[in-house]
Amino acid sequence: TTVVARHFDETGQLDKEMLSTFTYNEDGKLTRYEFLDHGLWSSYSYNDNMLMREYTSHEGGYPEYDESFNYTYENYKVKTKSHLWSQMNAPEYWLYSYDAGGRLERLDYREGYLDEYHQHWLYEYENDGKTKVESYYTSYQGFVLVMRTVYEYDESYTLLSKYTERFDAAGEITKTTMTRYDYTPDGKEESQITQTLTDGEWINTDIIRYVYDE
């Protein structure tokens, strides 16, 4: 119901604390989020147990804006998503496609003023879905691979690792990263460690650790 983020300065001294609050309905679904120090709040509405709309307002900060996401469904799976915010002239659209097993197979994106979808995510599954390959393409000037990510899951489909390669327009790899996820014996997330391949060596570039009380 509440999260307090503590930000530290370069000397390790506490710089400021930022409070967020979460409100849920009787079914346990999130209905409101507030980031009090930034004048930011979001509301969520549901129909037939499915998220239909997200609305966000950012008042008194910079930049000020409001935005909304709206969803449609087919066979209880997201079919389309649209996004409009006050700093845009036209909405954005996402179109979701699924394979025969109900797994996400393709996600297409376009901006409102475009006639066609020009960003695409294609998904492949191996090892009974414990390996998922996500390939991100753009088609503004031909169908060009931008990024490929391989997700690995354990037997209970808990995420273990994420391996990402980024490509330039010529198809050459420009950046490679690996994130590993570790968990406590009772299944809580314990850490995320991201490494970047640099001059043939894996270098730690981002570390997140979680500590739990009783």
Side-chain angles (χ1 to χ4, degrees):
T1 56
T2 60
V3 172
V4 178
R6 296 182 176 90
H7 184 272
F8 299 86
D9 62 21
E10 295 175 351
T11 67
Q13 298 299 309
L14 181 63
D15 182 31
K16 58 182 176 181
E17 292 188 342
M18 298 168 287
L19 175 66
S20 298
T21 63
F22 301 80
T23 304
Y24 302 86
N25 64 18
E26 59 185 11
D27 296 324
K29 293 181 176 60
L30 180 66
T31 58
R32 187 175 178 88
Y33 162 76
E34 292 184 78
F35 190 14
L36 303 179
D37 293 326
H38 286 255
L40 178 69
W41 64 270
S42 299
S43 63
Y44 306 84
S45 60
Y46 303 84
N47 183 35
D48 196 17
N49 264 345
M50 293 179 294
L51 176 63
M52 301 300 296
R53 185 171 188 266
E54 304 171 63
Y55 176 80
T56 297
S57 175
H58 187 200
E59 302 171 348
Y62 180 80
E64 292 192 359
Y65 65 88
D66 61 271
E67 64 178 335
S68 64
F69 288 91
N70 292 277
Y71 300 83
T72 66
Y73 294 83
E74 186 175 284
N75 297 326
Y76 295 96
K77 292 184 179 297
V78 177
K79 184 62 177 178
T80 66
K81 179 175 68 173
S82 62
H83 173 222
L84 180 65
W85 67 315
S86 54
Q87 297 183 356
M88 296 173 59
N89 294 323
E92 303 172 292
Y93 298 96
W94 289 261
L95 176 64
Y96 295 75
S97 303
Y98 301 87
D99 63 19
R103 296 180 300 198
L104 182 62
E105 186 175 48
R106 183 179 179 123
L107 174 59
D108 299 297
Y109 165 85
R110 70 176 173 90
E111 297 177 43
Y113 62 86
L114 297 176
D115 294 329
E116 299 178 358
Y117 289 90
H118 286 290
Q119 295 184 44
H120 317 270
W121 291 260
L122 305 183
Y123 297 88
E124 300 174 275
Y125 301 89
E126 304 170 1
N127 191 24
D128 293 328
K130 298 181 186 67
T131 299
K132 181 176 71 173
V133 181
E134 177 189 74
S135 300
Y136 167 54
Y137 293 83
T138 62
S139 58
Y140 294 98
Q141 297 177 332
F143 209 62
V144 178
L145 178 62
V146 177
M147 183 170 62
R148 178 179 287 122
T149 303
V150 180
Y151 301 86
E152 297 287 352
Y153 301 86
D154 65 11
E155 294 297 323
S156 60
Y157 294 94
T158 299
L159 181 60
L160 298 178
S161 66
K162 181 176 68 174
Y163 178 85
T164 301
E165 294 174 326
R166 296 179 182 270
F167 301 86
D168 61 18
E172 298 294 328
I173 297 175
T174 60
K175 185 177 182 180
T176 304
T177 60
M178 168 73 82
T179 300
R180 300 187 184 279
Y181 301 82
D182 291 308
Y183 302 87
T184 63
D186 58 352
K188 295 184 179 69
E189 189 168 2
E190 190 170 42
S191 66
Q192 297 179 22
I193 300 177
T194 299
Q195 296 180 311
T196 301
L197 189 60
T198 307
D199 296 328
E201 295 186 11
W202 289 101
I203 305 298
N204 287 348
T205 50
D206 192 64
I207 298 175
I208 301 174
R209 299 192 186 280
Y210 300 92
V211 179
Y212 304 87
D213 64 14
E214 65 278 9

